[in-house]
């Protein structure tokens, strides 16, 4: 399930699934009703399972009902007004908003820290070695953005390579065909590509550009306006989650909880954590400051917006500032 969710991150064309009734369900929520949050199997979101099983929301004095989905289904549920909030990438928050289901990012959970990568064939040792060669990515998805950013940092342009559009789940076969010099994919597909071509290696990963993909909790604006105090309590629980996962004494129990949620052995799940940098509220506070570039949620989201428009994910540029409210994170950060 974790793998399935990865294949759908930064969903292209999601706006077609959005319905205009997005806001109605949450507007109808009364104060006595639990806040409904949709989550899926990206490690930064599965982390909430720890708080659920430890009963930390009840201790915080807020009624919350987490609902488990496949990733795209969670966005559909949010768009349909069936849940008050959803865990998504910052880019997907813009995509759903462009389709009519506006949301407000109130906190960061993590950023991709190596699970996304550009893999080169044997003999290709750097991005510069790709000049004049073919590179396969799925146009409009996150590996496309990762490649463009990497080329720019390497002093190159998109036109220095020939892009080949291919499905991400086919990248192992594409790399093995020998028709391209490199492919873009996320784990575990990237690992499958490396195994399929002995000598293949990562040329660039999301760990080289922290903030290229931020993962967030984003809330229906009406729910946020009506129940801000309750959302404040939800945000405040997050630091306990991060501390429990990162403390060597409690991490085995945390991994056991999370691994059970996604149905894999704990040892396997530990590997997933390495590609995900969990952010405490204090770390998230530093990211939720207006600035350009990937160190800011504003800057990263603006880059995602520009990329989405350029590549036809949606047509109208979004007002990025209206998608971010740092006040709850700022108030809860220690």
């Amino acid at each position: 399930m974790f793998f399935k969710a990865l294949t759908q991150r930064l969903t292209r064309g999601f706006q077609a699934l959005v319905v205009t009734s997005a806001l109605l369900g949450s507007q109808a929520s009364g104060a006595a009703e639990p806040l409904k949050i949709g989550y899926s199997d990206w490690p930064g979101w599965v982390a909430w399972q720890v708080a659920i099983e430890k009963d930390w929301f009840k201790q915080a004095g807020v009624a919350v009902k987490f609902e488990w989905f496949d990733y795209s289904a969670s966005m559909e549920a949010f768009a349909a007004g069936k849940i008050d909030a959803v865990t998504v990438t910052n880019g997907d928050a813009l995509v759903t908003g462009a389709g009519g289901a506006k949301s407000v990012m109130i906190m960061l959970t993590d950023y991709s820290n190596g699970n996304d990568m550009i893999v080169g064939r044997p003999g290709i040792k750097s991005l510069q070695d790709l000049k004049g060669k073919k590179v396969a990515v799925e146009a409009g998805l996150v590996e496309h953005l990762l490649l463009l950013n990497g080329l720019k940092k390497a002093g190159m342009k998109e036109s220095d390579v020939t892009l080949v559009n291919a499905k991400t789940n086919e990248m192992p076969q594409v790399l093995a065909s020998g028709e391209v010099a490199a492919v873009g994919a996320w784990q575990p597909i990237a690992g499958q590509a490396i195994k399929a071509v002995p000598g293949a290696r990562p040329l660039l990963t999301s760990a080289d550009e922290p903030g290229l993909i931020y993962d967030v909790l984003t809330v229906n604006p009406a729910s946020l306006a009506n129940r801000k105090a309750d959302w404040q309590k939800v945000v405040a629980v997050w630091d306990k989650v991060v501390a429990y996962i990162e403390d060597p004494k409690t991490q085995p129990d945390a991994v056991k909880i999370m691994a059970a949620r996604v149905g894999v052995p704990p040892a396997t799940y530990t590997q997933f954590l390495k590609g995900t940098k969990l952010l405490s509220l204090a770390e998230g506070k530093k990211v939720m400051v207006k600035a350009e570039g990937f160190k800011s949620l504003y800057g990263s989201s603006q880059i995602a917006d520009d990329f989405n428009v350029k590549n036809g994910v949606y047509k109208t540029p979004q007002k990025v500032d209206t998608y971010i409210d740092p006040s709850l994170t700022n108030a809860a950060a220690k």
Side-chain angles (χ1 to χ4, degrees):
M1 295 173 70
F2 164 68
F3 301 148
K4 185 175 181 180
L6 274 176
T7 65
Q8 296 172 332
R9 300 182 80 220
L10 202 67
T11 304
R12 186 180 187 188
F14 174 74
Q15 63 270 34
L17 301 174
V18 176
V19 296
T20 55
S21 60
L23 304 180
L24 298 180
S26 292
Q27 286 176 327
S29 297
E33 293 293 322
L35 298 173
K36 296 180 180 179
I37 301 174
Y39 72 130
S40 52
D41 50 9
W42 176 253
W45 306 329
V46 179
W48 286 114
Q49 192 67 30
V50 176
I52 296 168
E53 298 200 16
K54 297 297 180 183
D55 221 9
W56 288 340
F57 293 108
K58 184 177 181 180
Q59 294 174 23
V62 59
V64 181
K65 181 181 180 182
F66 275 79
E67 298 188 12
W68 184 254
F69 294 94
D70 286 342
Y71 183 50
S72 60
S74 72
M75 292 187 288
E76 291 175 38
F78 179 79
K82 295 179 179 178
I83 51 179
D84 301 300
V86 65
T87 53
V88 293
T89 69
N90 59 323
D92 271 343
L94 301 178
V95 173
T96 55
K102 181 70 183 297
S103 67
V104 180
M105 296 179 256
I106 62 171
M107 62 164 287
L108 292 141
T109 55
D110 65 276
Y111 60 75
S112 178
N113 192 36
N115 278 336
D116 299 87
M117 62 183 68
I118 306 299
V119 177
R121 285 186 56 80
I124 304 294
K125 299 180 180 179
S126 68
L127 293 179
Q128 288 86 349
D129 291 343
L130 295 176
K131 190 167 185 176
K133 296 183 171 61
K134 295 180 179 178
V135 181
V137 294
E138 189 162 1
L141 297 196
V142 68
E143 260 61 28
H144 188 181
L145 175 60
L146 176 67
L147 175 66
L148 296 185
N149 185 66
L151 291 176
K152 183 178 180 181
K153 292 179 68 175
M156 300 168 65
K157 304 185 295 291
E158 184 173 356
S159 58
D160 286 330
V161 301
T162 300
L163 292 182
V164 176
N165 189 21
K167 295 292 185 183
T168 298
N169 61 4
E170 297 174 355
M171 290 303 176
Q173 295 89 336
V174 172
L175 189 69
S177 73
E179 295 182 359
V180 301
V183 299
W186 43 71
Q187 293 284 29
I189 300 169
Q192 294 166 3
I194 292 172
K195 287 184 178 179
V197 182
R201 56 184 289 178
L203 306 176
L204 174 74
T205 80
S206 53
D208 297 312
E209 192 58 87
L212 180 78
I213 309 167
Y214 283 114
D215 298 303
V216 302
L217 174 65
T218 195
V219 180
N220 179 291
S223 178
L224 180 60
N226 293 335
R227 302 184 62 180
K228 194 165 186 176
D230 284 338
W231 286 113
Q232 182 70 73
K233 293 175 182 176
V234 172
V235 170
V237 168
W238 181 248
D239 267 354
K240 293 180 69 174
V241 173
V242 176
Y244 198 78
I245 294 173
E246 295 188 342
D247 187 334
K249 296 179 181 177
T250 53
Q251 187 178 77
D253 184 49
V255 169
K256 181 180 178 181
I257 291 170
M258 293 186 289
R261 174 64 273 186
V262 300
V264 301
T268 301
Y269 198 85
T270 299
Q271 299 301 313
F272 299 162
L273 286 181
K274 294 179 180 178
T276 305
K277 169 56 181 170
L278 295 176
L279 296 171
S280 68
L281 292 173
E283 291 170 324
K285 179 179 178 180
K286 294 178 182 178
V287 176
M288 297 182 86
V289 172
K290 289 185 180 181
E292 297 181 353
F294 292 113
K295 291 184 179 180
S296 163
L297 180 61
Y298 292 87
S300 175
S301 300
Q302 186 59 60
I303 291 169
D305 186 55
D306 294 342
F307 174 83
N308 289 340
V309 173
K310 180 180 179 181
N311 289 281
V313 178
Y314 49 75
K315 295 181 179 178
T316 305
Q318 300 299 293
K319 296 180 180 178
V320 170
D321 287 6
T322 67
Y323 280 83
I324 302 170
D325 181 353
S327 64
L328 278 68
T329 292
N330 291 344
K334 298 177 180 177

